[in-house]
Each structure stands twice: as structure tokens, then as C-alpha cells.
């Protein structure tokens, strides 16, 4: 974990409200694992503004990339940061996704920018799996060419039907899970879900992994203060091995949790 | 070695010897370990850990924090491991370090305040207690004790009897006359005062028309409260002889020095740790540089040097 003054190597518009940021961050990059995040100080905001958390989308050589959506004043200000300028970045933070064993079928499920950490995960998998990605419209569907270029099967769902199947990403997933479970060689232990997206989607996925008897690794999105486990702002109700409930820290104990650890409100 | 390193900026607060007057405020630095990967925590004047009561405490439901112009409003609700959990989980790490550890304590009743204070009596590695009678985020205890003069007198006197450790009372800013409370705490045996805790505050989402924090109200911290805190430190410092630890919106060296000029003998950095974990170390250096520039050789020359 480091605080790095990183140079913006590339900052570009992707599609819709989404942007790509590539930073020169050698110290963070070498330590990064998929599912971890960085905590970014937005230089255009006043000095008392909190940092903003973003998942790592790529970590290659000395560079890290994040993929973000402009949703409020922080991300809007970040969008104005010029290439060649510097960003104060802390990270990499949190526990990422476990890299699946080679004999596991990885099923990745993303909502919106949730696709970013999942792409990083896909690049660290030795096998090829399947990605389900959902969004409101085709403008929320990102990175599918990235996944295709490394040989992954990509299934898209949009609420308005502008790309892929019309409806929820879980509908498309359910059909696929059913087909897969009808196979002769099917064993629940042979597949695992890795997901990042809104809480509603994550809960729906967690329910399926518990009912189906396989693992679900879910990356939660919570408002954060410190990002390092000190302030207790980012908590999620969790269950420990003795079946006791407690408020765990998404920044330090997560952001990735196995679905059985999470107690949904 | 450059000249600024030669200046002695050590202080003695309530009998706690500190290398410098810069502490980190309760609830903003976890239990020390969380930030030890970013800075050498042994360079701090002292670490004040997150508020602790007798037993483990759950805290409030999320959402617990919201950013506002000039700071943030929090309603964590004093989530903590309790005395035993703190001793087992966090003290082993802190004992390996060469930095005074001050435990911020709270209770739901007079008796509980006394019990939690007594529980630290023989805990190795604890340098002092900070009595939190000013947290706006718990239903019982907390601020109720800090905003009623009789209750303040009772709780300070009771805790004083239960502990031989240096006792720092953390006052609420939410009172009409801080001098009254500062004098009560001094008279009942407090060795120092911390000012200020967060200011009661509320944020509403105008689209849903619901409060943003699940606790409905919370405590405001950060730059926004700094001038309020400076004024309260100044008033209290004139009224009591015990040292004052100034806190509230320290974002830069200048803010810390301003507290000291107003009358604080030490300062604590809070919310700013979240934004820049290195800030307290920068403030330590900045104070040395300021003293050198102004020809001061001891922190006491800075404390209370305001010309009014
Ligand atoms: C672990 C993690 C990984 C994330 N990864 C990404 C990513 O890869 N790409 C991406 O676009 N976004 C990601 N987010 C969400 C991102 O942090 C928010 O969109 C961003 O903080 C919004 O800031 P703002 O100032 O534009 O919004 P505002 O609404 O103006 O922000 C106000 C406050 O709320 C917080 N906040 C608002 N929305 C969110 C949110 N959804 N999650 C957390 N905090 C929020 C802000 O940090 C800020 O403190 C991630 C969040 C977490 C917790
Ligand atoms: C997230 C958070 C948690 C806090 N927790 C405590 C606490 O447990 N006990 C306490 O006495 N003060 C607590 N405080 C108050 C701070 O110690 C400090 O008095 C206040 O935030 C003002 O300083 P600042 O503006 O520099 O943050 C907390 C403040 C914040 C922001
Ligand atoms: S953001 Fe501070 S504990 Fe998680």
C-alpha cells in the first residue's frame, strides 16, 4: 500500500458518461491484484474533500488504469484533469478476488463500471470463462471487445434492448446456468461467480450461489472515508464463522466477500 | 541535520511526554495500525484511539458519513471492540511502538464511565485516558454528559476516582458557555482538556427528502469547524490552567499553529488524516520551521501568544 504522486499518461472518453484514466504508478502497479481499488484525491476539489475509490481496471508494467463513470461533482472534476498532470493516488487497497483454480469455470457478472475489476481478473485467469454484463442501455456496456480479444464468451443484457438481450443480466445468466447444470459432467463445485455491480444485482447473485451450492465472490460498492479501515464509514453487515453478525469494513475486509459472509439488510 | 531539527518541540501534556505537540484525533486514525503502512507513527506526539466502552459496541447502521462543503458529517456511533477486544486485538501492536497511546473512553451511565476508566488502570502501554462526554452520535451517554454542568461535574469526578492515569476531558462545543464546562472539568480533577468534538449537524437528500445519515443527525468535522474551534480554545485557555489540546479542521500547519497561538499546548489532526495520511508529519515539521523563523526555542512560547 502506497501513496503515489502519479502522472496522467492517458485520459480519454470511452462511451456515454464513462472515461478511461491511465496513470504512471509503478509502486501500486506491482502490488495490485484484481478486485482491489485505489483511493484518489481529486485535485480540482477543495482541500477538505474526501478521496474517491475506484477499482483497478488494469495493472501492467508501471501503469494502472481505471475506468470511471461521471456521476457527481468529484468524478465531474476528475474528468477535467489533463494528460501530463499529476494525481495523488493511494493503494492498492482491500482484498481482491481469489484467482480461480484452472479447473473452475469462472462466471463473471458485471453491472456498469463493475466490468472494470472483472476484466483485470480475466487477464489473470489461466482459463477462459464467460462474462455476463448488464446495463440500462448500450451506453453502459463497456469493455466487451477486451474480453473477446482474450477469448472469453460475452453475454450482454440491456434494460431497453439496445444491445444484447432485453432485460436483466440475471435473466440471461439464469438461462445459461440452467443449460450448464443440464450437462452430464456438471458439478456445482466446478463453477464460481465473480461479480461487481449494484447491491440488488449482487444480492440476486448471492442467492443463486447459495441455492446452487457454489461460491460467489461479490465486490461491494460503499461510500468511503479513509479507505484504510480507520474510520468505519464503509461498513456492511457480515457473518463470521461462528454465525455472529457484525459491521465489517468494505475497504479493508472487502471489497470482495464470499456471498455466504454477507447479511443483506 | 538541518537547523529546524535542532529545535526542541517536545511537550508534556497532563504528565504524558510527547516528542512534539501533534497528536491524531480519536476516530480518525483507527488504532494506529491502519496508518502505520503510510507513516512512521512513532514520530507522532501521541495517538488517540477510537472511542471504547466496556463491551463491544455495534455502532449505527450505514450510511454513516457524508461529505459536505468544508468537511464531513459522520454518525459512526462509536463502533468498537470493547476493553477486552481492544487489549487483545490492538494493544500488542501499539506496545511495540514508541508513541504514547491515549484511549478515548465513553459509557452509557455514570457507573459505566467509571468501570471503563478503571479497566485501563493496569493495562500496559496506555499513557492516558481521554474522556469522551461529547459524542453526538449515540443515544445514551456521550453528549448528554457534556452539555449539562451537573452531569459533567459528576462524571469527571467519578472517573477521576477510578483512574490514576492522566485524564483528558473532551468537551462538547455544543454549549452556550465553554468556560463554565472547562472550569468544571478542571475543578473535578481533569489534567487537560480536548476541544473540540464534532458539531451536531444534519444533511437531507432533497430528492428523496430523507436524511442522508441513518442516524438522522451526525457530527460535523473538517475545515468548516476550524474557526469555531479556535474561538472555543481561546476562551477556555484564558479560563483554566490545565493544558488544552486543540482540534477541529486542521488541514495544514497554519491551522495547527493558529490553535497554539490561541492557547493550545498541543493539537490533534482529525478528518485530514483521511485525505492525506502524511499531514500530521508535515504539521510537525511545519511547527519547527515556524518556531525557527520566529526565533522561538520552546513550544510554550507559542502557546497562548495571541495578541488581543
Ligand atoms: C471499492 C469501490 C470501487 C469502485 N470502483 C469504481 C470504478 O471502477 N468506476 C467507477 O466509475 N466508480 C467506481 N466506484 C464508485 C465511485 O467511487 C463513485 O462513483 C464516486 O466516488 C462518485 O464520486 P462523485 O464525487 O462523482 O459523486 P458524488 O455523489 O458527488 O459524491 C459524494 C460522495 O459520495 C461518495 N459516493 C457517491 N457515489 C458513490 C458510490 N457509488 N460508491 C462509493 N462512493 C460513492 C463519493 O465518494 C463522495 O464522498 C467504486 C466504489 C467503490 C467503493
Ligand atoms: C469519523 C469520525 C469518528 C470520530 N470518532 C470519535 C470518537 O470515537 N471519539 C471522540 O471523542 N471523537 C471522535 N471524533 C471527533 C474527532 O476526534 C475530532 O474531535 C473532530 O473530528 C474534530 O477534528 P477534525 O475537524 O480535525 O476532524 C470522530 C470524528 C470523525 C470524523
Ligand atoms: S472507508 Fe474508512 S473504514 Fe472503510
Amino acid at each position: 500500500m502506497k501513496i503515489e504522486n502519479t502522472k496522467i499518461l492517458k485520459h480519454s472518453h470511452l462511451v456515454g458518461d464513462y472515461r478511461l484514466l491511465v496513470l504512471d504508478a509503478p509502486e501500486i502497479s506491482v502490488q495490485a491484484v484484481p478486485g482491489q481499488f485505489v483511493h484518489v484525491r481529486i485535485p480540482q476539489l477543495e482541500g477538505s474533500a474526501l478521496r474517491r475509490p475506484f477499482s483497478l481496471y488494469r495493472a501492467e508494467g508501471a501503469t494502472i488504469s481505471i475506468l470511471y463513470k461521471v456521476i457527481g461533482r468529484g468524478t465531474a472534476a476528475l474528468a477535467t484533469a489533463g494528460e501530463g498532470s499529476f494525481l495523488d493516488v493511494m493503494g492498492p487497497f482491500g482484498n481482491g478476488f481469489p484467482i480461480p483454480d484452472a479447473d473452475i469455470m469462472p462466471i463473471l457478472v458485471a453491472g456498469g463500471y463493475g466490468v472494470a475489476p472483472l476484466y483485470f481478473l480475466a487477464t489473470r485467469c489461466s482459463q477462459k470463462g464467460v462474462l455476463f454484463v448488464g446495463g440500462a442501455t448500450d451506453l453502459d456496456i463497456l469493455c466487451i471487445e477486451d474480453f473477446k480479444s482474450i477469448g472469453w464468451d460475452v453475454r450482454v443484457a440491456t434494460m431497453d434492448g439496445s444491445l444484447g438481450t432485453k432485460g436483466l443480466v440475471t435473466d440471461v445468466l439464469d438461462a445459461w446456468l440452467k443449460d450448464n447444470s443440464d450437462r452430464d459432467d456438471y458439478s456445482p463445485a466446478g463453477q464460481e461467480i465473480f461479480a461487481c455491480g449494484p447491491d440488488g444485482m449482487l444480492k440476486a447473485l448471492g442467492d443463486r450461489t447459495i441455492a446452487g451450492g457454489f461460491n460467489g465472490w461479490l465486490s461491494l460498492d460503499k461510500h468511503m472515508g479513509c479507505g484504510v479501515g480507520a474510520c468505519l464509514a464503509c461498513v456492511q453487515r457480515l457473518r463470521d464463522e461462528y454465525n455472529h453478525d457484525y459491521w465489517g469494513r468494505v475497504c479493508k475486509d472487502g471489497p470482495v466477500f464470499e456471498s455466504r459472509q454477507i447479511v443483506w439488510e | 541535520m538541518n537547523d529546524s531539527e535542532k529545535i526542541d518541540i517536545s511537550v508534556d501534556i497532563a504528565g504524558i511526554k510527547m516528542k512534539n505537540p501533534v497528536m491524531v484525533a480519536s476516530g480518525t486514525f483507527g488504532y494506529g495500525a491502519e496508518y502505520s503502512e503510510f507513516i512512521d507513527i512513532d514520530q507522532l506526539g501521541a495517538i488517540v484511539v477510537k472511542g471504547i466502552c466496556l463491551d463491544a459496541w455495534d455502532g449505527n447502521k450505514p450510511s454513516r458519513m457524508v461529505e459536505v462543503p468544508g468537511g464531513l458529517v459522520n454518525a459512526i456511533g462509536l463502533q468498537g471492540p470493547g476493553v477486552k477486544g481492544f487489549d487483545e486485538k490492538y494493544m500488542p501492536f501499539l506496545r511495540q511502538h514508541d508513541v504514547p497511546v491515549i484511549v478515548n473512553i465513553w459509557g452509557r451511565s455514570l457507573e459505566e464511565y467509571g468501570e471503563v476508566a478503571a479497566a485501563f488502570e493496569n493495562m500496559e502501554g496506555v499513557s492516558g485516558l481521554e474522556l469522551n462526554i461529547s459524542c453526538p452520535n449515540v443515544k445514551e451517554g456521550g453528549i448528554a454528559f457534556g452539555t449539562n454542568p451537573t452531569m459533567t461535574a459528576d462524571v469527571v469526578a467519578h472517573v477521576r476516582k477510578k483512574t490514576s492515569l492522566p485524564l483528558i476531558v473532551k468537551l462538547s462545543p455544543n454549549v452556550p458557555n465553554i468556560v463554565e464546562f472547562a472550569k468544571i472539568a478542571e475543578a473535578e480533577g481533569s489534567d487537560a482538556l480536548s476541544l473540540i468534538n464534532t458539531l451536531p449537524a444534519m444533511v437531507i437528500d432533497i430528492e428523496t427528502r430523507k436524511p442522508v445519515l441513518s442516524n438522522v443527525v451526525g457530527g460535523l468535522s473538517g475545515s468548516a469547524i476550524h474557526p469555531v474551534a479556535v474561538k472555543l480554545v481561546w476562551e477556555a485557555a484564558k479560563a483554566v490552567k490545565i493544558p488544552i489540546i486543540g482540534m477541529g479542521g486542521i488541514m495544514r500547519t497554519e491551522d495547527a499553529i493558529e490553535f497554539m497561538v490561541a492557547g493550545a499546548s498541543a493539537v490533534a489532526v482529525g478528518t485530514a488524516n483521511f485525505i492525506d495520511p502524511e499531514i500530521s508529519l508535515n504539521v510537525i515539521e511545519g511547527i519547527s520551521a515556524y518556531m525557527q523563523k520566529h526565533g522561538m526555542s520552546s513550544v510554550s512560547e507559542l502557546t497562548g501568544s495571541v495578541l488581543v
Side-chain angles (χ1 to χ4, degrees):
Chain A
M1 299 197 294
K2 291 282 168 195
I3 309 177
E4 246 184 310
N5 195 24
T6 66
K7 189 172 182 182
I8 301 180
L9 301 176
K10 185 172 178 215
H11 192 180
S12 56
H13 175 250
L14 284 177
V15 56
D17 296 326
Y18 295 88
R19 302 182 63 86
L20 171 72
L21 190 59
V22 182
L23 305 170
D24 179 33
E27 302 201 65
I28 294 173
S29 184
V30 290
Q31 299 175 14
V33 298
Q36 287 187 308
F37 68 95
V38 288
H39 217 22
V40 179
R41 190 165 184 185
I42 314 270
Q44 292 77 7
L45 295 184
E46 70 282 4
S48 61
L50 291 170
R51 288 171 183 263
R52 278 20 183 193
F54 299 100
S55 298
L56 286 162
Y57 162 49
R58 292 165 184 262
E60 295 155 331
T63 70
I64 57 170
S65 308
I66 63 178
L67 193 162
Y68 70 96
K69 183 178 187 183
V70 175
I71 65 139
R73 68 182 199 107
T75 44
L78 181 60
T80 68
E83 289 177 358
S85 68
F86 286 81
L87 272 188
D88 171 345
V89 178
M90 288 171 71
F93 287 159
N95 296 313
F97 292 108
I99 307 294
D101 289 343
D103 56 349
I104 297 280
M105 173 67 179
I107 305 165
L108 276 41
V109 189
Y113 56 75
V115 76
L118 295 177
Y119 176 69
F120 189 11
L121 175 65
T123 64
R124 298 284 166 102
C125 289
S126 54
Q127 70 275 50
K128 310 211 182 310
V130 52
L131 167 77
F132 294 88
V133 52
T137 75
D138 57 343
L139 294 179
D140 295 299
I141 306 299
L142 307 151
C143 306
I144 54 179
E145 292 310 320
D146 286 347
F147 282 90
K148 286 182 182 164
S149 72
I150 57 170
W152 280 57
D153 182 2
V154 176
R155 313 287 176 106
V156 178
T158 51
M159 293 308 290
D160 68 351
S162 52
L163 194 68
T165 309
K166 185 170 192 252
L168 289 169
V169 70
T170 41
D171 297 339
V172 183
L173 172 72
D174 284 341
W176 187 94
L177 286 173
K178 167 97 186 38
D179 285 350
N180 198 41
S181 66
D182 287 343
R183 287 167 38 166
D184 293 340
D185 60 347
Y186 175 75
S187 136
Q191 63 186 18
E192 292 187 8
I193 282 183
F194 301 83
C196 185
D199 273 6
M201 183 192 101
L202 296 180
K203 179 177 185 311
L205 295 171
D207 291 347
R208 283 161 177 74
T209 64
I210 292 167
F214 54 99
N215 282 332
W217 304 99
L218 311 178
S219 178
L220 298 181
D221 185 336
K222 281 276 182 289
H223 287 218
M224 289 181 176
C226 66
V228 302
C231 73
L232 307 175
C234 63
V235 296
Q236 167 68 39
R237 203 73 186 157
L238 299 176
R239 191 180 294 123
D240 69 14
E241 63 260 49
Y242 310 107
N243 227 12
H244 293 143
D245 290 4
Y246 67 102
W247 292 117
R249 301 161 302 178
V250 168
C251 68
K252 187 83 181 178
D253 309 321
V256 176
F257 298 98
E258 205 287 310
S259 56
R260 288 155 189 83
Q261 287 176 275
I262 301 173
V263 182
W264 297 101
E265 292 298 294
Chain B
M1 193 193 249
N2 65 37
D3 285 348
S4 69
E5 286 174 78
K6 283 186 211 142
I7 293 188
D8 177 16
I9 59 167
S10 65
V11 291
D12 181 321
I13 304 291
I16 305 168
K17 298 207 168 17
M18 302 184 191
K19 294 174 194 124
N20 59 69
V22 182
M23 314 166 46
V24 284
S26 178
T28 66
F29 207 74
Y31 305 94
E34 293 82 351
Y35 279 107
S36 62
E37 299 198 40
F38 301 100
I39 64 164
D40 174 8
I41 60 172
D42 290 359
Q43 289 187 45
L44 297 169
I47 292 175
V48 187
V49 300
K50 173 76 187 159
I52 288 175
C53 67
L54 213 48
D55 299 313
W57 188 253
D58 234 9
N60 293 327
K61 284 190 175 172
S63 108
R64 291 177 168 187
M65 185 184 282
V66 52
E67 183 182 276
V68 294
L72 57 89
V73 181
N74 91 82
I76 308 296
L78 294 172
Q79 178 178 339
V83 175
K84 190 161 168 281
F86 170 69
D87 191 24
E88 289 171 2
K89 257 189 165 150
Y90 302 108
M91 275 314 292
F93 170 85
L94 288 167
R95 277 188 204 109
Q96 290 168 15
H97 283 268
D98 176 28
V99 58
V101 174
I102 297 171
V103 181
N104 181 273
I105 59 168
W106 68 282
R108 283 163 300 169
S109 64
L110 192 68
E111 291 68 34
E112 218 176 76
Y113 268 106
E115 283 175 60
V116 61
F120 288 99
E121 195 57 13
N122 296 311
M123 195 181 288
E124 188 203 330
V126 173
S127 297
L129 299 180
E130 183 180 62
L131 188 64
N132 180 3
I133 52 169
S134 43
C135 181
N137 298 327
V138 286
K139 295 212 161 45
E140 305 161 84
I143 203 163
F145 283 91
T147 50
N148 174 315
T150 316
M151 283 171 80
T152 300
D154 289 349
V155 73
V156 177
H158 185 64
V159 167
R160 178 71 287 173
K161 276 189 235 130
K162 301 284 180 184
T163 184
S164 60
L165 286 167
L167 179 62
I168 303 161
V169 176
K170 187 160 179 179
L171 295 180
S172 173
N174 198 34
V175 294
N177 183 1
I178 197 76
V179 167
E180 179 184 9
F181 288 83
K183 282 184 166 166
I184 290 171
E186 181 180 45
E188 300 301 339
S190 183
D191 300 308
L193 300 176
S194 280
L195 329 180
I196 60 176
N197 209 319
T198 55
L199 286 161
M202 182 174 184
V203 180
I204 299 169
D205 179 334
I206 60 163
E207 292 306 322
T208 62
R209 281 183 266 143
K210 288 186 175 158
V212 173
L213 297 171
S214 71
N215 191 53
V216 181
V217 296
L220 175 65
S221 64
S223 303
I225 70 170
H226 180 66
V228 178
V230 169
K231 182 235 183 205
L232 294 172
V233 164
W234 174 65
E235 286 180 336
K238 286 187 296 180
V240 296
K241 294 200 176 60
I242 51 178
I244 290 177
I245 303 158
M247 65 194 77
I250 297 180
M251 307 298 301
R252 346 162 270 164
T253 299
E254 289 84 341
D255 303 328
I257 292 174
E258 195 178 352
F259 272 127
M260 302 193 72
V261 171
S265 301
V267 294
V269 177
T271 299
N273 289 306
F274 303 154
I275 299 152
D276 175 10
E278 292 169 338
I279 178 169
S280 33
L281 301 188
N282 293 338
V283 170
I284 295 167
E285 267 178 42
I287 290 175
S288 285
Y290 176 91
M291 284 172 51
Q292 196 178 28
K293 180 172 156 212
H294 292 268
M296 298 177 177
S297 55
S298 150
V299 173
S300 61
E301 291 173 61
L302 196 53
T303 296
S305 58
V306 62
L307 305 170
V308 182

